[in-house]
């Protein structure tokens, strides 16, 4: 009896250690924090050439985008020739649009100190109908490595029905993961199966990032039947035309699955593409950052407005995204607002002991919101009641004359904010709460904060 139990236990131990081994996909140095960069698809679709890509790379290097962390320059769909090399089956670039070849672009991008990404699909064709990698994983991965590719976005179109269960999807995507590893080149593997078959449960064992939903589009909250699910848990039709508000909703329950080296990808940013207001784009950028999604710009960098530049270079928000603890913020509460939409509070721990807090107004009304500091924590009794915090508003500047001085102090607070926070429709306010030791700051008199939610119109 004892022997049987011992045998069963050792088998279990072996199985657990095999699983632990499998779970230990993390490749330090690769996506330790969410990747930051630019991708051609949202703005240009198939209308791309080597100039489109290199022009974007130059703007990243020259405009200060690289200085705040943007690094990957990614060609999406449509870089392809009509067919593969007839003799070797290796992938080929479009002979006119990419006449100098992909390696040339990678070299030019690298000369700027940036990294280079490419796109394919775990199917017979890409979503735009070009040749793709199913059955060609090894030759494609080898060629990408020879081209000095640093990042592969790997899509889901024309997958020959090899999806519908986590096993089928895992098997198909694992082939490229293995092929990439075999090349010996550290290539970030950005899996893009639109949240089908719950990638957050298996993709962390084979990739650095995974898309959680159907394609984003440049709309704040338009309801569209092409994006039919209310949650991605067991969603059977990821679709596309998913609004920013919908993707925020999808991401709320998935933060627990992400961490250093493995991230939920909420899709590329639409900031700067023209379909949303300043407040809406700032909400979009803030929530992607707090949920620790990759921040991949998707607009025309060569025609960027000051307003767009201001949003995407907010260093205080980027610092939250790139915080090395790598813990996505959690939604603490969501309240329905009369007249439609919701008001939400999200918060998350940061590496230095600060807490990031977002008040997100997804309603059509301007709101006046009372904030209870205890709501920011998992264990409010322990974490909040005994502490005092200085709050910094990350969408305000400390110095109005210094456009990059993001993060203005809005006072020292205990228990709750002393005055309600005013939020415009579709606006998000993001605060960084820094714990203050009152005994070493005897002159500080904290303001008491009372939180209530009222709508003021
Ligand atoms: C899919 C992806 C998009 C984009 C297009 C390209 O729809 O989800 O992000 O890559 O394909 O065809």
């Amino acid at each position: 009896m004892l022997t049987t139990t011992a045998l069963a236990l050792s088998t279990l131990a072996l199985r657990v250690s095999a699983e632990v081994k499998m779970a230990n996909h993390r490749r330090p140095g690769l996506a330790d924090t969410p990747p930051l960069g630019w991708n051609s698809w949202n703005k240009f679709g198939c209308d791309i050439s080597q100039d489109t890509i290199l022009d974007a790379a130059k703007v990243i290097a020259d405009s200060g985008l690289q200085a705040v962390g943007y690094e990957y320059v990614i060609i999406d769909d449509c870089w392809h020739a009509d067919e593969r090399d007839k003799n070797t089956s290796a992938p080929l670039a479009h002979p006119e649009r990419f006449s100098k070849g992909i390696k040339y672009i990678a070299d030019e991008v690298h000369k700027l100190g940036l990294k280079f990404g490419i796109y394919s699909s775990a199917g017979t064709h890409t979503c735009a109908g070009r040749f793709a990698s199913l059955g060609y994983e090894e030759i494609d991965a080898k060629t990408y490595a020879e081209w000095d590719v640093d990042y592969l976005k790997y899509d889901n179109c024309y997958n020959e029905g090899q999806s519908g269960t986590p096993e089928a999807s895992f098997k198909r995507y694992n082939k490229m993961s293995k092929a990439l590893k075999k090349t010996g080149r550290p290539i970030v593997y950005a899996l893009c199966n639109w949240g089908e078959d719950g990638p957050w449960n298996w993709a962390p064992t084979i990739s650095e990032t995974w898309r959680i939903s159907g394609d984003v589009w440049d709309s704040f909250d338009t309801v569209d039947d092409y994006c039919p699910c209310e949650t991605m848990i067991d969603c059977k039709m990821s679709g596309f035309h998913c609004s920013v508000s919908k993707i925020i909703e999808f991401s709320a329950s998935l933060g627990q699955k992400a961490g250093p080296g493995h991230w939920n990808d909420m899709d590329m940013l639409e900031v700067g593409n023209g379909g949303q207001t300043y407040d809406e784009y700032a909400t979009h950028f803030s929530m992607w950052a707090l949920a620790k999604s990759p921040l991949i710009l998707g607009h025309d960098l060569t025609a960027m407005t000051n307003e767009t530049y201001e949003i995407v270079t907010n260093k205080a928000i980027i610092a939250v995204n790139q915080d090395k603890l790598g813990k996505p913020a959690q939604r603490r509460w969501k309240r329905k607002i009369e007249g439609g939409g919701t008001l939400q509070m999200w918060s998350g721990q940061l590496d230095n002991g600060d807490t990031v807090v977002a008040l997100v107004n997804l309603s059509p009304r301007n709101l006046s919101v009372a904030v209870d500091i205890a709501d920011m924590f998992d264990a409010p009794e322990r974490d909040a009641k005994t502490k005092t915090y200085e709050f910094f508003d990350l969408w305000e500047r400390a110095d109005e004359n210094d456009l990059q001085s993001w993060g203005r102090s809005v006072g020292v607070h205990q228990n709750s904010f002393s005055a309600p926070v005013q939020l415009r429709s579709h606006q998000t306010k993001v605060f960084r709460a820094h714990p203050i030791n009152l005994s070493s700051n005897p002159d500080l008199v904290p303001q008491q904060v009372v939180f209530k939610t009222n709508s003021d119109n």
Side-chain angles (χ1 to χ4, degrees):
M1 177 64 183
L2 238 185
T3 332
T4 324
T5 314
L7 193 69
L9 278 176
S10 69
T11 316
L12 180 70
L14 272 178
R15 193 153 17 112
V16 168
S17 91
E19 274 164 15
V20 167
K21 249 198 183 143
M22 193 176 101
N24 191 15
H25 163 73
R26 186 166 175 208
R27 298 181 286 170
L30 269 199
D32 291 338
T33 56
L36 301 185
W38 175 86
N39 172 301
S40 52
W41 183 256
N42 281 358
K43 172 68 188 175
F44 297 101
C46 281
D47 191 14
I48 52 171
S49 68
Q50 59 210 16
D51 289 345
T52 326
I53 310 303
L54 292 178
D55 288 350
K58 280 181 208 125
V59 176
I60 295 177
D62 296 343
S63 68
L65 288 171
Q66 184 176 17
V68 295
Y70 293 96
E71 187 178 26
Y72 290 94
V73 178
I74 304 158
I75 311 186
D76 207 279
D77 208 343
C78 302
W79 54 267
H80 315 69
D82 287 347
E83 34 184 354
R84 294 170 171 278
D85 184 298
K86 281 205 173 64
N87 300 316
T88 64
S89 294
L92 291 175
H94 193 279
E96 282 122 43
R97 288 178 174 256
F98 293 91
S99 59
K100 293 189 173 168
I102 302 294
K103 171 85 168 80
Y104 166 79
I105 300 182
D107 288 347
E108 292 301 301
V109 167
H110 288 145
K111 277 186 211 157
L112 296 169
L114 298 167
K115 290 189 172 151
F116 174 68
I118 204 165
Y119 161 99
S120 188
S121 177
T124 56
H125 295 84
T126 69
C127 297
R130 308 315 198 254
F131 62 78
S133 301
L134 193 63
Y136 293 88
E137 290 85 357
E138 296 237 343
I139 179 91
D140 286 2
K142 185 168 163 284
T143 311
Y144 301 153
E146 285 164 5
W147 288 345
D148 287 340
V149 165
D150 305 298
Y151 176 112
L152 173 67
K153 170 175 171 180
Y154 203 45
D155 215 335
N156 196 27
C157 279
Y158 299 99
N159 65 29
E160 301 273 281
Q162 294 177 40
S163 65
T165 65
E167 292 73 17
S169 288
F170 171 82
K171 240 172 108 189
R172 186 163 45 92
Y173 279 94
N174 195 25
K175 285 187 190 141
M176 182 54 92
S177 175
K178 285 184 170 160
L180 290 173
K181 279 186 201 138
K182 200 169 154 195
T183 68
R185 186 174 171 84
I187 298 177
V188 170
Y189 186 29
L191 200 148
C192 172
N193 82 333
W194 322 316
E196 247 184 52
D197 300 325
W200 41 87
N201 287 323
W202 46 267
T205 67
I206 57 171
S207 72
E208 276 70 40
T209 70
W210 54 89
R211 275 271 298 277
I212 64 162
S213 74
D215 290 6
V216 66
W217 70 324
D218 191 10
S219 154
F220 190 71
D221 57 4
T222 307
V223 175
D224 192 298
D225 285 342
Y226 281 126
C227 184
C229 294
E230 293 304 323
T231 157
M232 287 309 294
I233 310 297
D234 291 331
C235 167
K236 301 291 181 212
M237 179 69 75
S238 315
F240 50 99
H241 279 191
C242 299
S243 70
V244 162
S245 303
K246 198 140 202 196
I247 296 177
I248 292 172
E249 182 61 33
F250 289 154
S251 75
S253 55
L254 299 177
Q256 55 193 304
K257 293 291 182 178
H262 53 286
W263 309 106
N264 289 306
D265 177 355
M266 295 163 78
D267 205 354
M268 298 157 312
L269 296 161
E270 291 285 7
V271 181
N273 280 332
Q276 299 176 55
T277 65
Y278 175 88
D279 282 336
E280 292 170 343
Y281 279 142
T283 291
H284 177 14
F285 194 69
S286 301
M287 297 315 291
W288 263 234
L290 263 77
K292 309 282 150 111
S293 170
L295 298 178
I296 307 294
L297 304 170
H299 62 289
D300 181 357
L301 300 184
T302 64
M304 183 164 25
T305 63
N306 289 341
E307 190 174 283
T308 298
Y309 184 79
E310 176 173 313
I311 293 173
V312 303
T313 57
N314 182 322
K315 286 193 282 192
I317 299 288
I318 293 174
V320 168
N321 179 258
Q322 295 292 298
D323 184 77
K324 72 173 191 289
L325 188 63
K327 233 180 156 198
Q330 268 177 268
R331 185 160 64 195
R332 302 289 171 181
W333 49 251
K334 169 170 126 177
R335 297 175 189 154
K336 279 198 170 155
I337 299 299
E338 210 181 305
T342 61
L343 169 70
Q344 309 186 5
M345 184 202 238
W346 294 55
S347 72
Q349 216 182 318
L350 298 172
D351 190 58
N352 70 346
D354 289 3
T355 300
V356 64
V357 192
L359 291 168
V360 192
N361 183 3
L362 300 182
S363 86
R365 308 177 70 165
N366 298 332
L367 299 175
S368 171
V369 187
V371 181
D372 188 339
I373 290 178
D375 287 352
M376 293 167 13
F377 302 96
D378 281 332
E381 290 308 317
R382 187 192 65 212
D383 293 327
K385 295 283 186 234
T386 52
K387 286 192 188 158
T388 306
Y389 295 86
E390 181 167 14
F391 283 77
F392 296 86
D393 182 335
L394 303 190
W395 282 109
E396 295 290 338
R397 291 172 178 106
D399 172 359
E400 280 311 320
N401 297 319
D402 177 357
L403 295 185
Q404 283 304 309
S405 63
W406 292 110
R408 194 180 72 207
S409 176
V410 289
V412 174
H413 301 274
Q414 218 174 36
N415 300 333
S416 58
F417 269 37
S418 50
V421 175
Q422 307 301 322
L423 289 173
R424 295 184 293 270
S425 166
H426 296 177
Q427 186 186 18
T428 291
K429 285 207 170 169
V430 184
F431 300 99
R432 191 167 176 130
H434 180 65
I436 298 285
N437 184 344
L438 276 186
S439 51
S440 52
N441 293 279
D443 297 340
L444 276 180
V445 182
Q447 306 159 46
Q448 303 300 312
V449 187
V450 185
F451 292 133
K452 282 185 254 113
T453 305
N454 302 309
S455 46
D456 66 1
N457 62 3

